Amino acid sequence: MPESVPGIGYVFGVLGVMFAVTFALRAAPFLALATLKNSAFVDFLGRTMPAGVMVILVMYTLRDVGESTWLPAIVGLAGTIAVHLWRRNAALSTVAGTGLYLVASAFWT
């Protein structure tokens, strides 16, 4: 066997380290959440993050709206808001808004 090929012990050592690091990275969030479960900060984040994430998604979506795509974007956004105010269901309002956007963009672009 050429000298550039590592031995079997080296390969198993690298695989062991990879396993340990992967396991630790997957377990870390659960361990951290267990210690912060009754934290006021985590409670605050749980109440405010969904709205913050939605604002960021809307800003990211509307940042590239041009002259020919503003009308479908407004229709999709208005539909999303209307369905969310009507049903208070984030998944339903997202799907409805996306569908309205696709239909509007098929007709107006």
Side-chain angles (χ1 to χ4, degrees), residues 37-59:
K37 195 168 193 171
N38 296 324
S39 170
F41 180 68
V42 172
D43 184 49
F44 168 76
L45 288 178
R47 284 183 281 115
T48 57
M49 273 189 72
V53 168
M54 285 297 169
V55 167
I56 290 170
L57 286 173
V58 167
M59 289 172 31

Side-chain angles (χ1 to χ4, degrees), residues 48-103:
T48 57
M49 273 189 72
V53 168
M54 285 297 169
V55 167
I56 290 170
L57 286 173
V58 167
M59 289 172 31
Y60 178 78
T61 302
L62 297 178
R63 72 184 166 103
D64 290 329
V65 172
E67 291 179 19
S68 64
T69 59
W70 68 269
L71 188 57
I74 295 299
V75 168
L77 182 61
T80 302
I81 292 170
V83 171
H84 189 72
L85 290 175
W86 174 48
R87 301 299 274 171
R88 299 278 184 205
N89 186 334
L92 179 64
S93 59
T94 302
V95 170
T98 302
L100 285 170
Y101 172 77
L102 291 175
V103 169

